[in-house]
Amino acid sequence: MTATIYDTRSYRAELSANPLFADLENALAMADRADAISAARFGALDLHVESKPDNTPVSDADRAVERAIRETIAERCPGDAVYGEELGKAESTGRRWILDPIDGTKNYVRGVPVWATLIGLQVGDEIVAGVVSAPALHNRWFAVKGGGAYMGAGVDEAVRIHVSHVAKVEDASMSLSSLTGWKERGDRQQLLDLTDSMWRLRGFGDFWQYMLVAQGAVDAAAEPELDLYDMGALVPIVTEAGGTFTDLDGNPGPWGGCGLATNGLLHEEILAALR
C-alpha cells in the first residue's frame, strides 16, 4: 500500500522522538493485520452478513478484523482497554483503543471499495493517535499528537498532509454521508441552505470525507449521528493536519455523537449556519 501519486519519504527520524511513537507503530501494525483480513474477504462469495439490532449490517470480516486487532493489543499493550464496534465497549482505564474494524460496512458488503479500518488511541481524555487504513483505495492516513498528519503506507513511506486554505463558504467544497438524521435533528433545511451557498457538494461519505478534509481536497464534512468508534481515529488526523473537529454544537473532539470537520477557517461560519 502506498500513496503512489505523491513523492513519499521516510519520517522515522522526526517521529521517533515523539513520546507516542511506539504507540503509532503498534497502531500501524494493527492496521497491517486488519488489512490482510479485510482485503482477503472483500468480494468473497461466502461472506456472511447479518443485521444487528440497530438494522445495520455486520459481516464475518468485521468481527475477524476486530478480533485480530484485539489480539495484537493484548500482545503489545496488555492492560489497555478497548472500545470496539463489534466486540465490546470498555470504559477507559487511562489508555483505551477505539476501533471500527470496517467503517463503511454497507459499502464493503456491496462491493464498493470505500471502507477502512479505524484505530484510535485515547490517553486520559484525549485521542492522541489515529490510523485509517483503506486497502481497497490503496491508501492509509495516520497522525500522532504533536507529530503531524500523514498519508502513505507508514512512517517510512508517507507524505505529510495539511488542510486547505479556503476561507469563504461560497468557495468551499463540502461532503456529506447522507441526509438521513438531519431531519431528526431539526436542521436539515439549514443544511440544505448552507450547501446551496457553497461551491460544491459531494457525498464521499464515512471516513473518506474526513480524510479528504485532512489532505486539503475537501473543505468540510459533517454527519449528524456517529459513535465514538466512527470518529476516534479521525480526530487526531484532522487536527494534526491543521483542521478543526467538533460536534455540531462546537464541542471539540469525538464525544458528542455527531461530527463536523473543517479546515478551521470555515468552522464557525458553518456551525452558525447549522444552528
Side-chain angles (χ1 to χ4, degrees), residues 7 36 56 96 98 100 112 121 148 166 190 224 229 238 252:
D7 291 328
T56 61
R96 180 169 63 164
I98 314 296
D100 190 340
V112 178
L121 174 62
V166 174
Q190 292 95 310
Y229 53 71
V238 170

Side-chain angles (χ1 to χ4, degrees), residues 100-114:
D100 190 340
I102 298 179
D103 184 57
T105 298
K106 291 178 182 177
N107 284 344
Y108 186 85
V109 302
R110 290 294 303 272
V112 178
V114 183

Side-chain angles (χ1 to χ4, degrees), residues 34-144:
D35 287 356
I37 296 168
S38 60
R41 296 295 290 151
F42 183 52
L45 296 178
D46 63 343
L47 185 73
H48 178 70
V49 182
E50 58 189 77
S51 291
K52 295 189 288 188
D54 63 359
N55 292 320
T56 61
V58 59
S59 72
D60 59 83
D62 292 78
R63 294 187 174 120
V65 167
E66 185 167 327
R67 191 174 299 112
I69 297 175
R70 285 174 177 269
E71 289 172 357
T72 304
I73 292 170
E75 294 164 1
R76 295 186 175 217
C77 313
D80 287 5
V82 181
Y83 184 104
E85 180 177 10
E86 309 301 346
L87 302 178
K89 302 176 181 179
E91 295 296 324
S92 178
T93 58
R95 285 174 51 93
R96 180 169 63 164
W97 294 91
I98 314 296
L99 308 178
D100 190 340
I102 298 179
D103 184 57
T105 298
K106 291 178 182 177
N107 284 344
Y108 186 85
V109 302
R110 290 294 303 272
V112 178
V114 183
W115 48 270
T117 294
L118 278 51
I119 302 167
L121 174 62
Q122 176 187 356
V123 176
D125 296 326
E126 187 176 9
I127 311 294
V128 298
V131 173
V132 172
S133 195
L137 295 179
H138 305 287
N139 217 340
R140 180 179 288 178
W141 301 261
F142 58 93
V144 63

